[in-house]
């Protein structure tokens, strides 16, 4: 099975469509949260997830846009974009987002979470020490997470007390080793923050037990134009072209 792993779409439909067309055929889609917030097309992005995602979880911006967590936990620009995103949501899209949990045990091998296993909504899992601590919080071999908007992974061999962080190259395939545990962040579709403005995603191949990391260029200026028309904050518009 080819499983498309997406995170942090953030209402960026142009980026999402570029990813869906570059990904080719897939058998399932797992969405790691923050489908909305920041960007200009929340309904269209939710509708594509409703259509394609077998597994979907919620993120901090989804919850804020739904009015389920305190907006004061966000900086003023993010807060403004969350309020705007929430105000745009059609009832059926709100109803789809509303019950999503922040993490799901998919099966014995895989866990999906937005932030981290120990703090599914808020923790940014970026450092090896955090990965080591978080491996204690779940039994599965592999955890897919989003939230940091950085395409990366951590691996820890059984018996080791240290985790190794790796930054994947585009098109690189990671073969999963049965005696190693992993954290995998596919990166952000709609607002990458690793100095690469291209949309990020990953493809899990369960037949080969491998994960391939991808980047795809999209029309950033089209999303920026839409954001300007919606009156979204200038800093959120500018950051897309730098990938920050
Ligand atoms: Zn996010």
């Amino acid at each position: 099975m080819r499983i498309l792993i997406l995170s942090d779409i953030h209402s960026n439909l142009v980026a999402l469509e570029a990813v869906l067309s570059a990904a080719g055929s897939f058998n399932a889609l797992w969405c790691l949260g923050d489908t909305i917030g920041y960007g200009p097309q929340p309904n269209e992005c939710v509708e594509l997830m409703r259509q394609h995602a077998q597994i979907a979880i919620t993120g901090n911006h989804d919850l804020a846009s739904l009015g389920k967590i305190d907006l004061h936990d966000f900086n003023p620009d993010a807060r403004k974009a969350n309020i705007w995103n929430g105000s745009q949501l059609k009832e059926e899209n709100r109803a789809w987002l509303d019950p999503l949990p922040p993490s799901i045990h998919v099966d014995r091998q895989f866990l999906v979470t937005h932030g981290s296993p120990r703090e599914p909504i808020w923790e940014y899992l970026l450092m090896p020490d955090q990965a080591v601590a978080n491996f204690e919080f779940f039994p599965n071999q592999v955890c897919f997470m989003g939230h940091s908007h950085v395409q990366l992974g951590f691996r820890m061999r059984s018996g080791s007390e240290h985790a190794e962080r790796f930054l994947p190259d585009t098109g690189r395939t990671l073969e999963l080793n049965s005696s190693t545990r992993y954290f995998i962040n596919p990166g952000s579709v709609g607002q990458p923050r690793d100095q690469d403005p291209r949309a990020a995603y990953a493809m899990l191949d369960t037949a080969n037990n491998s994960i391939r990391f991808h980047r795809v260029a999209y029309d950033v200026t089209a999303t920026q134009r839409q954001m300007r028309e919606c009156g979204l904050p200038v800093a959120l518009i500018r950051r897309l072209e730098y990938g920050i």
Side-chain angles (χ1 to χ4, degrees):
M1 263 215 324
R2 280 164 55 84
I3 301 172
L4 179 58
I5 315 275
L6 304 184
S7 192
D8 297 279
I9 296 164
H10 282 302
S11 301
N12 188 340
L13 180 67
V14 180
L16 176 57
E17 286 180 332
V19 165
L20 289 173
S21 98
S25 66
F26 52 89
N27 307 103
L29 189 158
W30 297 352
C31 170
L32 308 184
D34 277 1
T35 302
I36 65 171
Y38 287 129
Q41 292 187 279
N43 284 301
E44 293 82 352
C45 292
V46 170
E47 280 154 17
L48 280 170
M49 289 306 101
R50 288 173 59 196
Q51 185 185 334
H52 290 290
Q54 277 72 22
I55 287 172
I57 56 178
T58 196
N60 53 319
H61 288 261
D62 298 322
L63 291 168
S65 300
L66 294 169
K68 296 176 84 169
I69 53 175
D70 193 345
L71 283 160
H72 292 95
D73 290 331
F74 295 84
N75 68 51
D77 283 347
R79 192 185 312 154
K80 188 174 175 203
N82 283 335
I83 292 168
W84 183 86
N85 267 255
S87 73
Q88 299 301 303
L89 273 185
K90 292 181 192 164
E91 220 31 67
E92 62 268 29
N93 292 333
R94 178 179 293 271
W96 181 82
L97 277 172
D98 191 68
L100 299 181
S103 66
I104 295 176
H105 289 269
V106 178
D107 57 24
R108 284 185 57 200
Q109 190 177 12
F110 299 109
L111 170 75
V112 297
T113 187
H114 184 65
S116 75
R118 70 178 168 188
E119 190 28 272
I121 308 288
W122 286 112
E123 184 174 14
Y124 292 92
L125 217 178
L126 288 163
M127 305 305 291
D129 287 353
Q130 288 175 287
V132 171
N134 267 286
F135 276 122
E136 307 268 320
F137 284 76
F138 67 106
N140 319 63
Q141 183 196 8
V142 182
C143 174
F144 288 102
M145 81 287 189
H147 191 49
S148 69
H149 299 205
V150 177
Q151 189 178 57
L152 57 70
F154 297 95
R155 68 184 132 219
M156 188 162 88
R157 287 194 179 83
S158 71
S160 170
E161 291 172 3
H162 302 283
E164 178 204 350
R165 175 181 141 130
F166 58 95
L167 298 170
D169 297 325
T170 295
R172 168 182 161 163
T173 300
L174 171 73
E175 313 277 347
L176 296 176
N177 183 317
S178 61
S179 60
T180 302
R181 296 179 73 200
Y182 300 88
F183 280 103
I184 302 292
N185 190 325
S188 169
V189 172
Q191 193 204 76
R193 293 181 193 159
D194 43 13
Q195 286 86 48
D196 182 344
R198 296 176 299 168
Y201 66 100
M203 188 72 80
L204 165 67
D205 187 332
T206 57
N208 301 330
N209 226 11
S210 67
I211 297 164
R212 201 173 174 106
F213 296 90
H214 296 271
R215 301 302 284 245
V216 58
Y218 72 96
D219 187 353
V220 173
T221 58
T223 297
Q224 290 177 315
R225 198 178 324 115
Q226 294 168 354
M227 290 176 78
R228 237 173 268 121
E229 285 164 7
C230 299
L232 287 162
V234 172
L236 299 183
I237 297 171
R238 292 301 305 278
R239 68 189 299 175
L240 293 180
E241 71 203 63
Y242 302 107
I244 56 173

